[in-house]
């Protein structure tokens, strides 16, 4: 009993001190009251157990009423408020087991609180949207790029970016019969000198009977599409010091041969591809590397293509104003369209105000000759830059995947921001216009046809992260050429891709003000009628695994600046919600153009952002990417950022944090939304509790109404019914599946689903080097 009294006393002291602190920040009075009650219980526990139990029963009942008042009948908010207190009631009940009068009050109160907390009504998720999506094919002749179901020739299957396959052998009825067909390990694992954000985000291509996949260290591997047997490996031999922020390869790109015949490989190579002599290539694969090269190789052998650039290698640092190693490279596959290979690149966030340019460049796909260059810092001059000239310093870049409509002669680039992300005083008017937008460029000239901006004067790293999706959409005006653009801030913009005009309305809303001296915040920010923007955070929505870390999250919430979406970063520290991972990220969404529906994975995870005054000199800090201090060399402020987490490392805002959702694109309405993913790989207990967890990656849709996606922080690949969002199947992955899957028909007429499982350094999932394939059991 003494030990129990000491435990209650310690908890009481923590709650009382924290409660006073929280109350001083105009926060909830509850924690101070709870702390006093715990102290009273601790003091009276040894000699006046009846009084101790009466006080504790009052605490339980009061906590239940307060919890229901704050959050309603919802399991996770109730569990975080009630769970620990209900467990602590057990020793009080047990030690008083022979004293009926002592238990007479506490036991029924404990039972009532437990029943309410665990009731089926509380288990029902109030944030769910329960409905169904139309299954009717409304556009049977929809453009899907190519009709064959046995190929996947670009990152999003085609340059339309739909992630839609006409394959329909796997259905909602038989998907549960999927089994592992083969598993391959690349051998490319995280090394001791790698950056923390080593990520395996690759989606393979399938051409002929071969799969082509890149790895984080820029190996290009060909596999037999039937068996997963290795055919050849090309190692770009990237120097270890060329990575600074991200070590990523999302995929490679393909230039079809002029006679348009498929590349078919059935036998393995007899020697490593990089040892082969270069050759004249008909078809070509393009591999971007982290030391800023673009390498063209032959799909059949893996040998470099002598006809392209300098013996198959193009140096992407040409004409750059600054050339720091590792500050620029293409993390995403280039766009092959209109006879060009068009390369955009990632410029490291928040490293140096003087960084390489974010220029977008089109090269002749066969020869590597520069055709045009479009630089947001100098947007009107697109003729190939001259020798000795340089592109604009640190101009907005396009680090994600681009799309193209070759019939319209347009390419669509999701645009990022000028570095530093949180400091806007360096931006020119041209950069302000094109940052955090989607821009349509003429495929032949690189000239801007139109631009639509999604954040004005972006101070939040809200880069447009996702590949735009093309479809022809039935609207009240008839069929319109549509472009669907998901954003980090949660809005999904549906635009006319010929003109850039909004198909669903875009409105301007007032935005929080108060930037640091020398900077400014835009008075309004755009929002789309199709949106997954989160509800604003409140203190009542703070969460934690226990009431104590929930209290600490409330203290932090009230200590930081927060006025809703677009709260500007500050020296005090600000809550950024949605955070850097966004509601949507590079995984984009999948669209069925025949049924005109969308499948996506909205994510809700708050970040914090604090500007650190440097007093006129740099800190010498080691840049830590999206979690830690970034130097911003040459700027007056560094920035410290990271997820908004409790002391126990769980998000401070209450779950769910991750969903799957379906949207009817003809109406713009969300048909259904359900929490997605479990905490199995987040806790040592390996509990498969469906909580709705964060994730990063993307989905695909098949013509049979089945969607596939891994992405979440538990190691599973899942199948969903697109009509309802119901999970139909899951398979345990050997590592984190933070990559978008793909599907194709193999040479035996069997539909395969392939997923890369290599983990993701930014979110701490299991690191590996796996490629896994599934097919229906015979």
């Amino acid at each position: 009993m003494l030990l129990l009294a000491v435990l209650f006393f310690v908890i009481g002291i923590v709650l009382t001190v924290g409660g006073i602190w929280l109350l001083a920040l105009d926060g909830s009075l509850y924690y101070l009251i709870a702390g006093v009650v715990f102290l009273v219980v601790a003091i009276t526990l040894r000699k006046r157990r009846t009084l101790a139990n009466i006080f504790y029963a009052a605490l339980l009942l009061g906590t239940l009423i307060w919890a229901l008042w704050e959050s309603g009948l919802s399991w996770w908010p109730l569990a975080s408020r009630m769970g620990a207190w209900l467990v602590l009631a057990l020793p009080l009940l047990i030690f008083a087991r022979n004293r009926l009068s002592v238990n007479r009050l506490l036991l029924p109160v404990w039972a009532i609180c437990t029943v309410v907390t665990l009731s089926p009504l509380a288990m029902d998720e109030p944030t769910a949207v329960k409905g169904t999506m139309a299954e009717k094919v409304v556009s049977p002749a929809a453009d899907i790029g190519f009709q064959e179901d046995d190929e996947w020739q670009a990152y999003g299957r085609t340059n339309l970016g739909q992630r839609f396959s006409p394959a329909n052998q796997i259905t909602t009825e038989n998907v549960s019969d999927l089994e592992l067909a083969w598993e391959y390990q690349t051998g490319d694992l995280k090394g001791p000198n790698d950056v923390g954000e080593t990520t395996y985000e690759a989606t393979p291509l399938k051409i002929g009977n071969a799969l082509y996949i890149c790895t984080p260290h820029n190996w290009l591997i060909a596999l037999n599409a039937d068996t997963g047997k290795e055919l050849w490996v090309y190692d770009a031999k990237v120097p270890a010091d060329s990575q600074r922020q991200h070590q990523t390869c999302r995929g490679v790109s393909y230039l079809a041969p002029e006679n348009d015949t498929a590349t078919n490989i059935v036998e393995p190579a007899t020697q490593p591809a990089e040892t082969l002599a270069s050759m004249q290539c008909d078809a070509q694969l393009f591999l971007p590397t982290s030391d800023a090269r673009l390498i063209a190789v032959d799909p059949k052998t893996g040998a470099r293509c002598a006809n392209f650039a300098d013996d198959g290698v193009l140096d992407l640092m040409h004409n750059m104003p600054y050339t720091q190693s590792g500050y620029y490279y293409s993390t995403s596959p280039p766009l092959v369209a209109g006879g060009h290979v068009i390369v955009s690149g990632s410029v490291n966030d928040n490293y140096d105000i003087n960084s390489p340019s974010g220029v977008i460049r089109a090269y002749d796909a066969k020869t590597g000759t520069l055709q045009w260059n479009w630089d947001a810092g100098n947007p009107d001059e697109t003729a190939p830059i001259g020798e000795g000239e340089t592109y604009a310093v640190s101009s907005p870049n396009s680090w994600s995947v681009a799309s193209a409509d070759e019939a319209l002669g347009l390419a669509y680039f999701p645009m990022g921001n000028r570095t530093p992300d949180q400091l806007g005083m360096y931006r020119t008017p041209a950069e302000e216009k094109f940052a955090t937008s989607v821009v349509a460029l003429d495929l032949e000239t690189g000239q801007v046809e139109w631009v639509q901006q999604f954040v004005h004067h972006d101070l939040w790293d809200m880069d447009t992260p996702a590949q735009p999706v093309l479809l022809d959409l039935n609207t009240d005006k008839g069929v319109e050429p549509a472009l669907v653009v998901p954003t980090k801030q949660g809005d999904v913009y549906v635009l006319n891709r010929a003109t850039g005009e909004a198909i669903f309305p875009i409105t301007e809303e007032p935005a929080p003000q108060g930037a640091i001296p020398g900077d400014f915040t835009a008075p309004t920010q755009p929002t789309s009628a199709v949106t997954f923007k989160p509800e604003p955070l409140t203190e009542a929505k703070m969460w934690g695994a226990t009431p104590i870390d929930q209290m600490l999250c409330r203290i932090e919430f009230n200590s930081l600046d927060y006025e809703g979406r677009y709260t500007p970063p500050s020296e005090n520290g600000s809550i950024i919600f949605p955070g850097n991972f966004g509601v949507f990220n590079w995984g984009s969404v999948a669209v069925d153009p025949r049924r005109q529906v969308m499948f996506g994975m909205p994510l809700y995870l708050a970040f914090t952002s604090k500007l650190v005054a440097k007093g006129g000199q740099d800190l010498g800090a080691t840049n830590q990417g999206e979690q830690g201090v970034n130097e911003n060399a040459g700027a007056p402020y560094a920035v410290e950022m990271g997820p908004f987490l409790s002391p126990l490392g769980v998000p401070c805002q209450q779950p769910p944090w991750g969903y799957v959702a379906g949207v009817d694109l003809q109406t713009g309405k969300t048909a259904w939304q359900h929490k997605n993913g479990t905490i199995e790989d987040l806790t040592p207990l390996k509990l498969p509790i469906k909580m709705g967890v964060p994730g990063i990656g993307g989905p695909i849709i098949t013509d049979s109404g089945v969607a596939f996606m891994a992405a979440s922080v538990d190691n599973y690949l899942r199948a969903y019914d697109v009509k309802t969002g119901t999970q139909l199947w899951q398979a345990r992955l050997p590592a984190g599946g933070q990559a978008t899957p793909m599907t194709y028909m193999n040479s035996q007429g069997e539909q395969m689903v392939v997923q890369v499982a290599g983990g993701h350094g930014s979110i701490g999932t299991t690191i590996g080097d796996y490629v896994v394939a599934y097919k229906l059991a015979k």
Side-chain angles (χ1 to χ4, degrees):
M1 191 60 68
L2 176 61
L3 290 177
L4 187 62
V6 170
L7 175 62
F8 272 70
F9 186 81
V10 171
I11 293 173
I13 289 293
V14 172
L15 288 173
T16 300
V17 173
I20 293 171
W21 187 2
L22 181 59
L23 197 61
L25 295 169
D26 296 323
S28 173
L29 179 61
Y30 166 80
Y31 295 91
L32 176 57
I33 296 173
V36 172
V37 172
F38 264 89
L39 291 174
V40 171
V41 172
I43 293 169
T44 60
L45 189 57
R46 294 193 68 189
K47 294 183 178 180
R48 305 184 66 183
R49 296 183 189 177
T50 300
L51 185 60
N53 283 21
I54 289 172
F55 270 100
Y56 201 79
L59 174 67
L60 288 182
L61 192 58
T63 301
L64 179 64
I65 295 169
W66 169 74
L68 292 172
W69 173 72
E70 275 205 330
S71 299
L73 199 62
S74 179
W75 158 247
W76 289 110
L78 276 176
S80 67
R81 290 163 172 82
M82 297 297 303
W85 294 174
L86 290 172
V87 171
L88 285 173
L90 294 177
L92 296 178
L93 292 167
I94 292 170
F95 289 137
R97 63 184 180 275
N98 296 321
R99 302 187 182 191
L100 183 60
S101 61
V102 175
N103 278 338
R104 189 171 292 159
L105 179 62
L106 181 57
L107 183 58
V109 169
W110 180 87
I112 290 169
C113 292
T114 301
V115 168
V116 172
T117 302
L118 298 177
S119 71
L121 289 176
M123 296 295 183
D124 190 29
E125 179 49 56
T127 58
V129 177
K130 298 179 181 179
T132 58
M133 203 122 67
E135 291 183 290
K136 181 181 178 182
V137 174
V138 296
S139 183
D143 184 5
I144 62 171
F146 52 88
Q147 297 296 324
E148 297 82 4
D149 57 13
D150 61 343
E151 300 263 319
W152 193 282
Q153 294 190 1
Y155 180 79
R157 186 173 176 270
T158 73
N159 284 340
L160 303 179
Q162 296 165 348
R163 293 161 186 78
F164 171 81
S165 171
N168 55 21
Q169 186 181 93
I170 300 170
T171 67
T172 55
E173 289 75 27
N174 65 20
V175 67
S176 59
D177 295 330
L178 281 177
E179 63 180 17
L180 185 67
W182 51 260
E183 179 179 288
Y184 170 80
Q185 289 186 260
T186 68
D188 183 9
L189 288 167
K190 181 176 172 64
N193 298 319
D194 287 346
V195 295
E197 293 186 41
T198 297
T199 60
Y200 205 174
E201 301 173 356
T203 297
L205 303 187
K206 197 270 185 177
I207 299 143
N209 201 41
L211 293 178
Y212 300 100
I213 187 167
C214 61
T215 72
H217 291 92
N218 304 132
W219 301 358
L220 175 52
I221 300 172
L223 303 177
N224 182 291
D226 289 355
T227 65
K229 186 176 182 180
E230 183 180 295
L231 301 173
W232 52 257
V233 177
Y234 178 85
D235 181 356
K237 299 189 182 304
V238 174
D241 65 350
S242 63
Q243 295 88 27
R244 290 291 184 273
Q245 192 166 57
H246 302 280
Q247 194 163 307
T248 299
C249 185
R250 295 191 183 94
V252 297
S253 303
Y254 174 62
L255 175 67
E258 294 181 1
N259 59 11
D260 203 27
T261 59
T263 300
N264 193 13
I265 305 175
V266 294
E267 294 298 329
T270 58
Q271 57 183 314
E274 68 271 12
T275 66
L276 297 175
S278 58
M279 58 181 289
Q280 296 294 315
C281 298
D282 192 6
Q284 291 174 190
L285 294 169
F286 294 102
L287 171 69
T289 68
S290 56
D291 59 348
R293 292 177 291 159
L294 183 67
I295 301 175
V297 302
D298 173 55
K300 291 185 177 181
T301 65
R304 287 199 312 275
C305 296
N307 51 277
F308 183 81
D310 182 9
D311 201 31
V313 180
L314 177 62
D315 180 7
L316 296 175
M317 294 306 292
H318 72 83
N319 299 96
M320 284 295 184
Y322 291 91
T323 58
Q324 304 99 319
S325 176
Y327 277 42
Y328 170 93
Y329 84 102
S330 294
T331 54
S332 297
L335 176 68
V336 177
H340 306 303
V341 55
I342 307 175
V343 184
S344 56
S346 174
V347 177
N348 284 353
D349 291 336
N350 310 324
Y351 272 49
D352 196 317
I353 61 171
N354 294 316
S355 289
S357 172
V359 62
I360 297 170
R361 292 168 285 188
Y363 302 91
D364 185 286
K366 294 299 292 184
T367 68
T369 303
L370 184 64
Q371 303 293 295
W372 54 259
N373 35 235
W374 181 78
D375 188 342
N378 184 23
D380 297 325
E381 300 296 328
T382 63
I385 196 168
E387 186 176 351
E389 296 181 294
T390 58
Y391 298 115
V393 175
S394 306
S395 52
N397 62 321
S398 179
W399 56 263
S400 190
V401 186
S403 305
D405 184 335
E406 296 196 57
L408 285 176
L410 296 178
Y412 306 96
F413 290 88
M415 294 298 297
N417 208 350
R418 173 176 178 149
T419 188
D421 285 315
Q422 290 78 19
L423 304 175
M425 63 279 287
Y426 301 99
R427 302 169 193 171
T428 67
E431 291 168 344
E432 291 278 19
K433 177 180 179 179
F434 293 104
T436 317
S437 69
V438 65
V439 61
L441 301 182
D442 185 284
L443 274 172
E444 278 302 305
T445 66
Q447 288 288 331
V448 175
E449 291 295 321
W450 56 261
V451 61
Q452 180 65 251
Q453 189 169 66
F454 306 133
V455 179
H456 307 318
H457 195 65
D458 182 3
L459 301 175
W460 304 273
D461 190 19
M462 289 296 165
D463 302 345
T464 309
Q467 181 181 22
V469 183
L470 283 63
L471 80 156
D472 295 329
L473 187 62
N474 296 342
T475 72
D476 293 339
K477 299 178 182 178
V479 177
E480 291 192 63
L483 191 73
V484 179
V485 190
T487 64
K488 283 188 178 182
Q489 58 270 29
D491 295 309
V492 179
Y493 290 86
V494 184
L495 311 173
N496 183 305
R497 66 177 181 270
T499 65
E501 296 174 351
I503 293 177
F504 288 101
I506 300 172
T507 56
E508 293 282 336
E509 296 181 347
Q513 299 296 289
I516 57 172
D519 207 342
F520 70 94
T521 46
T524 64
Q525 293 289 355
T527 191
S528 171
V530 184
T531 187
F532 288 89
K533 65 181 180 182
E535 291 293 321
L537 295 175
T538 64
E539 185 194 319
K541 293 179 181 178
M542 293 300 99
W543 196 74
T546 69
I548 290 176
D549 62 321
Q550 183 185 104
M551 176 186 69
L552 295 174
C553 281
R554 287 172 180 252
I555 291 171
E556 187 75 359
F557 175 80
N558 285 295
S559 301
L560 294 168
D561 295 340
Y562 181 68
E563 300 177 62
R565 196 165 66 149
Y566 303 117
T567 299
S570 64
E571 289 189 68
N572 178 62
S574 301
I575 295 174
I576 311 300
F577 185 54
N580 294 44
F581 286 166
V583 177
F584 298 100
N585 209 295
W586 53 263
S588 192
V589 296
V591 169
D592 181 340
R594 294 173 175 172
R595 295 165 184 84
Q596 305 198 345
V597 298
M598 182 192 100
F599 182 103
M601 185 190 68
L603 166 67
Y604 299 98
L605 189 63
F607 269 59
T608 61
S609 180
K610 182 178 182 179
L611 298 178
V612 181
K614 298 195 292 185
Q617 59 184 357
D618 289 334
L619 302 176
T622 301
N623 285 42
Q624 299 175 49
E626 292 164 326
Q627 299 185 39
V629 177
N630 288 341
E631 177 68 71
N632 286 338
Y637 296 91
V639 61
E640 183 177 3
M641 68 182 78
F644 184 26
L645 303 178
S646 82
L648 294 181
V650 298
C652 270
Q653 89 245 30
Q654 67 190 32
W657 308 299
Y659 295 86
V660 286
V663 175
D664 183 335
L665 289 173
Q666 293 183 91
T667 64
K669 304 298 183 184
T670 300
W672 52 259
Q673 177 174 296
H674 307 296
K675 60 186 179 183
N676 182 63
T678 72
I679 60 171
E680 179 172 348
D681 293 306
L682 294 178
T683 67
L685 298 177
K686 293 290 182 180
L687 299 173
I689 299 173
K690 192 172 186 179
M691 193 172 187
V693 295
I696 190 164
I700 63 171
I701 289 181
T702 67
D703 190 50
S704 57
V706 179
F708 291 95
M709 186 177 70
S712 64
V713 292
D714 57 352
N715 300 339
Y716 284 97
L717 173 64
R718 294 182 169 94
Y720 307 84
D721 185 337
V722 176
K723 179 181 177 182
T724 64
T726 303
Q727 183 180 310
L728 302 172
W729 168 85
Q730 66 180 25
R732 184 74 171 158
L733 295 170
Q738 284 68 58
T740 302
M742 49 85 73
T743 188
Y744 58 90
M745 303 300 291
N746 69 15
S747 67
Q748 306 304 307
E750 301 165 309
Q751 186 178 350
M752 311 289 288
V753 178
V754 174
Q755 172 73 45
V756 166
H760 199 287
S762 296
I763 58 177
T765 52
T766 307
I767 299 297
D769 62 340
Y770 295 88
V771 184
V772 290
Y774 301 88
K775 65 180 181 180
L776 294 173
K778 292 185 178 179

